[in-house]
Amino acid sequence: MTPPKINLTDCIGKAFYKVYHQVMNHEFTHYWFSGGRGSLKSSAISIFIIMLMLIDPTINVIVFRKVGLTIKTTVYEQIAWAIEKLGLNDFFIARVSPPSFIYKKTGQKILFWGLDDPTKRKSVKVKKGYYAITWFEELEEFSGIEEIEKVLQSVLRGGERFWCFYSYNPPASMQSWVNNEALKARPDKLLHKSNYLQAPPEWVGKQFLYEASVMAVYQPRRFRHEYLGEVTGTGGEIFTNLKLRPITNEEISHFDNIKRGLDLGVSIDPMAYMTMHLDTAARKLYIFNEYYARGCPSWTLAEHIKKENPRNRLIVSDIQHETLMSLKSYGINVIPAKKGQGSREWGYKYLTDDLLEIVIDPMRCPNAAREFAQYELKKDRNGNYIANYPDGNDHTIDAVRYALENSHPPMKVKRR
């Protein structure tokens, strides 16, 4: 029996046409699909999985949910939909207990596991081929990236090519581990975003579109989060002017107002050395280089600075007398920041209120991207936001404000 001809435009939304070719050509290993309601990400992944199995008889699949009881009504039904949509019902054996699908021609398997069962963490084997595909649905429900990594360490064995799919509705807060991991760029990872506006209207339905339009009018923030899949924040985010995007070498070649700042860290705290360009006319800051390390000796830091800053331009640093003197002994042009009562608040005010945009390249500066994005006001015991800027996880932020202390109206402070 020959599988029927397939028209993929009837199966996946237009937002996934390019991704389909990237998946089939194995351009990446890790595919992160984020989106709101009706974004069609789960439908696309289920189609990708079946298509990959058809072209490679060694491919087997494991689909994960955090809680096993949710499998039969979610991912199992989603795979069943994909098989039917592709006209392949006669080519697969569907089993309910335990939930699985078997491709009759080759014996390839699609298994479904809930990670609430500790035995699912153990190494697994298959008679023919290997588990080339994993899919973590509703990624935000898992406890953290460590849980995911432990599973992959057990599963990703015995083959040369792997496809790891992750699908999720982004949590509102950047504090979420999922949003944090999404910021971490790596060459074998694709981060894809979609929303219902890219889906054919008839696929999501008139009532869906009506409900979305009502929420867009009366609850716009919730609409952006639930329907557009945006990380809207919790209302306590501080850097609302933050923009994370690639900064090209072409852009950097035109930067002429370069600033450099250094936060030396204390004890186990990391050291952060930051390089940025300040566009005073447009009131935009571009952060494009970082050196972030714990327990970094002065000579190692000095060597990095000499490579990054060969013309020995000025660096404004946190005050630690011995370290500064050590850096100066290596010929580094560094001066202490003008710290004093109120200086921290003054620096943050400039970053948040005076700058229209803070652009950070998450590939070049992953730690700065993480710290700026996750920096939020804390709450008191009653759930109300505390007006003070919180201390901690702000090492790159401090280095940036030191670098810019002479770029905004001066504040008279008492020297520490």
Side-chain angles (χ1 to χ4, degrees):
M1 187 182 302
T2 303
K5 292 183 178 180
I6 297 167
N7 185 359
L8 285 172
T9 58
D10 294 335
C11 304
I12 59 176
K14 61 182 179 180
F16 299 92
Y17 291 171
K18 180 180 178 180
V19 184
Y20 169 77
H21 294 288
Q22 292 172 317
V23 170
M24 294 300 138
N25 294 329
H26 196 259
E27 294 184 20
F28 303 91
T29 298
H30 300 275
Y31 295 84
W32 287 57
F33 292 90
S34 70
R37 298 177 181 176
S39 60
L40 307 183
K41 54 188 181 296
S42 297
S43 299
I45 293 173
S46 62
I47 294 292
F48 296 161
I49 287 174
I50 303 302
M51 293 301 296
L52 285 169
M53 292 181 69
L54 293 180
I55 64 175
D56 187 341
T58 67
I59 287 178
N60 293 272
V61 184
I62 304 182
V63 183
F64 295 96
R65 284 295 305 265
K66 175 63 178 178
V67 179
L69 290 175
T70 63
I71 285 174
K72 291 182 181 179
T73 58
T74 56
V75 284
Y76 181 85
E77 289 296 326
Q78 184 63 65
I79 293 294
W81 170 88
I83 292 172
E84 181 176 3
K85 191 71 176 178
L86 293 170
L88 298 172
N89 277 343
D90 293 336
F91 295 81
F92 280 85
I93 299 172
R95 292 178 175 170
V96 178
S97 183
S100 63
F101 290 92
I102 301 174
Y103 187 37
K104 295 179 181 179
K105 182 178 179 181
T106 61
Q108 292 164 268
K109 294 181 179 180
I110 304 175
L111 304 183
F112 300 84
W113 287 0
L115 287 191
D116 50 337
D117 182 352
T119 63
K120 300 302 184 184
R121 299 177 184 269
K122 297 180 180 179
S123 178
V124 293
K125 295 181 180 180
V126 66
K127 290 183 179 179
K128 183 177 181 180
Y130 64 105
Y131 288 106
I133 298 175
T134 54
W135 176 16
F136 296 89
E137 168 71 324
E138 303 293 354
L139 185 63
E140 69 276 14
E141 294 181 354
F142 294 86
S143 61
I145 193 62
E146 295 81 7
E147 183 175 31
I148 304 299
E149 290 173 342
K150 287 181 180 179
V151 172
L152 294 181
Q153 289 167 4
S154 298
V155 175
L156 302 187
R157 300 178 181 181
E160 295 183 358
R161 301 194 304 170
F162 296 91
W163 291 261
C164 303
F165 297 109
Y166 314 83
S167 53
Y168 62 100
N169 292 11
S173 173
M174 275 306 307
Q175 299 277 359
S176 163
W177 75 267
V178 175
N179 293 331
N180 183 24
E181 287 299 319
L183 292 176
K184 297 180 180 179
R186 47 186 284 179
D188 63 346
K189 173 182 175 181
L190 174 68
L191 180 61
H192 182 274
K193 298 181 180 180
S194 60
N195 61 62
Y196 78 97
L197 297 173
Q198 298 163 294
E202 63 272 18
W203 287 17
V204 294
K206 291 182 180 180
Q207 188 63 37
F208 180 98
L209 296 173
Y210 175 73
E211 297 294 339
S213 66
V214 171
M215 186 177 289
V217 173
Y218 294 103
Q219 296 176 288
R221 188 188 189 99
R222 183 181 171 192
F223 164 78
R224 287 169 45 225
H225 175 231
E226 295 187 11
Y227 283 92
L228 300 185
E230 295 182 9
V231 181
T232 56
T234 61
E237 62 275 8
I238 292 173
F239 293 103
T240 57
N241 55 349
L242 177 64
K243 185 173 185 179
L244 303 178
R245 68 163 177 83
I247 298 176
T248 66
N249 290 332
E250 173 65 18
E251 286 181 278
I252 294 174
S253 69
H254 296 289
F255 290 166
D256 55 3
N257 188 20
I258 305 297
K259 306 288 184 181
R260 294 177 172 88
L262 174 63
D263 181 67
L264 293 167
V266 184
S267 184
I268 62 173
D269 286 343
M271 173 277 304
Y273 170 71
M274 309 300 301
T275 309
M276 64 214 77
H277 162 68
L278 179 62
D279 186 336
T280 53
R283 293 165 58 196
K284 292 184 179 182
L285 180 68
Y286 298 82
I287 304 174
F288 61 93
N289 184 69
E290 72 173 31
Y291 185 61
Y292 192 92
R294 285 181 170 84
C296 181
S298 297
W299 65 269
T300 302
L301 175 58
E303 287 300 313
H304 172 82
I305 291 175
K306 288 177 180 179
K307 291 179 181 179
E308 189 281 325
N309 183 16
R311 300 179 67 181
N312 204 18
R313 298 296 191 186
L314 181 66
I315 301 168
V316 184
S317 173
D318 192 3
I319 298 175
Q320 283 194 25
H321 181 72
E322 291 183 3
T323 306
L324 287 190
M325 293 305 295
S326 179
L327 288 174
K328 287 183 177 181
S329 72
Y330 289 110
I332 304 300
N333 183 15
V334 58
I335 63 172
K338 300 172 184 176
K339 297 174 71 173
Q341 186 177 0
S343 62
R344 189 167 184 271
E345 288 72 18
W346 190 253
Y348 273 94
K349 183 180 183 300
Y350 174 71
L351 291 173
T352 57
D353 298 349
D354 292 7
L355 294 178
L356 294 178
E357 197 168 77
I358 299 175
V359 181
I360 302 178
D361 186 325
M363 176 72 84
R364 300 176 188 267
C365 307
N367 293 289
R370 171 180 52 80
E371 288 188 359
F372 274 82
Q374 293 187 354
Y375 198 65
E376 296 185 357
L377 295 173
K378 293 184 178 180
K379 294 182 178 181
D380 61 21
R381 65 179 65 184
N382 297 317
N384 300 313
Y385 287 112
I386 302 172
N388 297 332
Y389 295 111
D391 195 10
N393 295 319
D394 54 0
H395 313 289
T396 64
I397 303 172
D398 282 343
V400 168
R401 66 183 181 88
Y402 298 152
L404 300 176
E405 69 174 12
N406 294 320
S407 302
H408 52 81
M411 177 182 180
K412 293 182 180 181
V413 297
K414 295 181 180 180
R415 197 131 177 122
R416 286 182 181 176

